[in-house]
Amino acid sequence: MVGRRDALLTRDKGQSSVGSRIVAAVVVGVLIGCVVAFLAPNGLLTASPTPLIRHPKMVSSACESPEQVNLLKVDILSAKEKNSELKKQVKDLMEKLRLAEQGKGHAQEQFLVLGDSHKAGPFGTVKALRTNPPVIPDESVNPRLAKILGEVAIYKEIIVALANTNVKEMLQLWFTNIKKVGIPNYLVVALDDNIEEFCKSNDVPVYRRDPDQGVDAVGKSGGNHAVSGLKFRILREFLQLGYSVLLSDVDIVYLQNPFDYLYRDSDVESMSDGHNNMTAYGYNDVFDEPSMGWARYAHTMRIWVYNSGFFYIRPTIPSIELLDRVANRLSNDAKAWDQAVFNEELFFPSHPGYDGLYAAKRTMDMYLFMNSKVLFKTVRKDAKLKKLKPVIIHVNYHPNKFERMKAIVEFYANGKQDALDHFPDGSD
């Protein structure tokens, strides 16, 4: 107990000594502070006085030199130039915004799919990306065409038809009905001088390509199939310039504005050669092979081909690849039919030795975008269907195109109810 008490006394004395030293240090510090405050009332470190800043408006104009005036003028001019540039940037941004809104929310879908990885939503709510983003326009590809499209196209969309003198009569009926409907954004690609002058004399927007020895030879003298094959090469420039094209043959009668009925959610949106819901939109066709016994039935998926004479194509990478593939195959095989090649490249899947085209596609409503088989075999014989007004009718199934086109105009535009009656269902 005694040892413990001595230890406690010793510790108390040590703590008392430390406390005394702290108190002494505080007292000395206070005394030094008082002395410094007395000798240097503004502080030991004095800042330099803040200079007086005069506002430019306070400077008398009489004191301004000519050099200063010139500098001010230069500054004003520079500000005006910057303002003009900002206005241009705002205009460009507004155009980009309009294009983004036109996609009906596709920009948001692209962000969700192409951005960071994310979890799948609840069952039944997951939607895959269907719309590929457009390419960046490149006006250097064809400045002359870019200028024409800038004047004629609306919302970067345009109807395009290729024509030479062989189809002059049908071409006139084609653009006459386009004008009646009130469609302003269309363009004829003239393949010879005669058609170019014909379009100009009828106030029809026309574009004549720069001379191309191989292409011009086909364009001037070629028939329907030869000219049809050219379009895939020519359309490429339109897409590179950033324009969506509604490609149209001239054996088509326009009854409404087709741009009011497009979905614009796919790379290619095409009318069908199908004549009913099954053939136009696809069906499960069962193949029967009795020799296989129990496995005699094989299910196949079938759809009738897209019509390469009327389709809407957006300026995307898959679309341009499609045009390149078709044009390449047609140039290497003179016997190939452009419509068959067009569908093979669009639909055939990837398989060993072949990489398929990854393009989104949509089939148009067959009663709005109607082929002549649907019209003459079904619609004209059905009292209810006859009351429908198609957007366009493509006389693709029949050889006497011009006569049937005139009859279609009489029936739908002029109200002559028996105008279609005397034609056979097919060709004679």
Side-chain angles (χ1 to χ4, degrees):
M1 291 293 292
V2 175
R4 182 179 177 187
R5 185 181 61 185
D6 292 342
L8 290 172
L9 289 173
T10 303
R11 186 177 66 182
D12 292 341
K13 288 180 180 180
Q15 289 178 346
S16 174
S17 175
V18 172
S20 299
R21 286 198 296 269
I22 292 173
V23 173
V26 171
V27 172
V28 172
V30 172
L31 290 174
I32 293 173
C34 292
V35 172
V36 171
F38 177 79
L39 296 176
N42 293 327
L44 294 174
L45 300 175
T46 57
S48 58
T50 304
L52 178 62
I53 300 176
R54 301 178 65 188
H55 194 275
K57 290 184 178 179
M58 296 172 63
V59 181
S60 172
S61 60
C63 297
E64 292 178 349
S65 66
E67 291 78 6
Q68 290 175 318
V69 173
N70 290 334
L71 287 174
L72 287 173
K73 289 181 178 179
V74 170
D75 290 342
I76 293 173
L77 181 61
S78 177
K80 287 182 178 179
E81 291 176 351
K82 289 180 179 179
N83 186 44
S84 176
E85 181 64 25
L86 285 173
K87 286 182 178 179
K88 183 177 183 299
Q89 292 177 1
V90 170
K91 184 179 179 181
D92 291 342
L93 288 172
M94 291 298 292
E95 174 65 13
K96 291 179 180 179
L97 178 61
R98 184 195 61 74
L99 291 174
E101 291 176 344
Q102 180 179 306
K104 299 179 181 179
H106 296 314
Q108 289 86 344
E109 293 178 12
Q110 290 168 10
F111 175 78
L112 290 174
V113 175
L114 300 177
D116 295 335
S117 298
H118 54 280
K119 296 180 179 178
F123 179 81
T125 65
V126 177
K127 296 289 184 182
L129 178 66
R130 289 168 174 78
T131 308
N132 285 307
V135 298
I136 299 174
D138 182 7
E139 292 192 2
S140 66
V141 170
N142 191 330
R144 187 164 64 87
L145 178 58
K147 182 179 179 182
I148 295 173
L149 292 176
E151 296 171 352
V152 178
I154 296 178
Y155 299 140
K156 291 280 187 177
E157 294 179 323
I158 190 164
I159 298 173
V160 175
L162 279 65
N164 61 15
T165 305
N166 293 338
V167 295
K168 188 174 181 179
E169 282 187 328
M170 284 192 293
L171 176 65
Q172 184 173 19
L173 189 57
W174 179 85
F175 65 65
T176 298
N177 282 281
I178 283 180
K179 289 182 178 182
K180 284 183 179 179
V181 173
I183 305 170
N185 49 328
Y186 68 100
L187 181 70
V188 174
V189 177
L191 300 176
D192 57 43
D193 297 334
N194 189 7
I195 289 297
E196 182 181 15
E197 293 303 319
F198 179 66
C199 289
K200 289 180 178 178
S201 64
N202 285 277
D203 196 26
V204 172
V206 63
Y207 164 65
R208 180 71 190 278
R209 297 179 67 254
D210 292 331
D212 183 320
Q213 187 172 2
V215 174
D216 283 3
V218 176
K220 291 178 180 178
S221 59
N224 288 343
H225 285 302
V227 171
S228 187
L230 274 181
K231 62 194 174 195
F232 297 99
R233 290 181 58 182
I234 295 174
L235 284 182
R236 192 185 204 277
E237 292 184 350
F238 287 78
L239 268 58
Q240 285 181 277
L241 293 171
Y243 289 83
S244 295
V245 176
L246 185 57
L247 190 280
S248 173
D249 283 352
V250 296
D251 57 344
I252 292 176
V253 177
Y254 285 76
L255 301 170
Q256 300 187 65
N257 191 331
F259 292 112
D260 294 337
Y261 295 88
L262 297 175
Y263 284 81
R264 301 175 176 86
D265 63 348
S266 304
D267 298 298
V268 177
E269 193 169 342
S270 177
M271 71 172 296
S272 171
D273 270 2
H275 61 94
N276 54 29
N277 285 346
M278 288 176 58
T279 57
Y281 309 135
Y283 64 103
N284 180 8
D285 185 37
V286 180
F287 176 77
D288 184 10
E289 190 176 7
S291 63
M292 288 296 295
W294 175 81
R296 64 183 292 179
Y297 300 111
H299 291 257
T300 68
M301 303 308 300
R302 300 188 64 184
I303 185 172
W304 285 30
V305 295
Y306 282 177
N307 191 288
S308 63
F310 190 86
F311 60 86
Y312 178 80
I313 186 166
R314 295 179 57 249
T316 66
I317 292 298
S319 296
I320 294 175
E321 184 182 358
L322 171 64
L323 298 180
D324 288 351
R325 286 181 177 219
V326 176
N328 182 60
R329 285 184 57 184
L330 293 175
S331 64
N332 292 323
D333 185 358
K335 296 181 180 180
W337 181 28
D338 70 285
Q339 181 160 290
V341 174
F342 175 71
N343 279 272
E344 288 170 4
E345 293 296 339
L346 195 55
F347 283 95
F348 281 178
S350 296
H351 55 262
Y354 176 77
D355 290 329
L357 179 72
Y358 293 89
K361 44 195 172 288
R362 169 182 282 275
T363 306
M364 293 176 172
D365 187 314
M366 68 171 184
Y367 289 117
L368 293 179
F369 300 90
M370 190 183 299
N371 63 57
S372 57
K373 182 174 183 177
V374 172
L375 174 64
F376 287 100
K377 188 178 179 181
T378 305
V379 171
R380 67 170 177 167
K381 301 175 183 179
D382 187 294
K384 292 183 179 179
L385 292 178
K386 285 177 69 175
K387 296 179 181 179
L388 296 176
K389 187 176 183 180
V391 177
I392 62 101
I393 297 177
H394 189 181
V395 187
N396 60 316
Y397 269 102
H398 300 88
N400 51 339
K401 297 177 181 295
F402 188 55
E403 290 73 17
R404 294 194 185 233
M405 287 177 68
K406 291 189 292 184
I408 290 169
V409 173
E410 287 294 322
F411 180 80
Y412 283 103
N414 300 331
K416 189 177 179 180
Q417 293 301 305
D418 61 348
L420 305 175
D421 294 348
H422 66 283
F423 292 99
D425 289 355
S427 57
D428 294 332

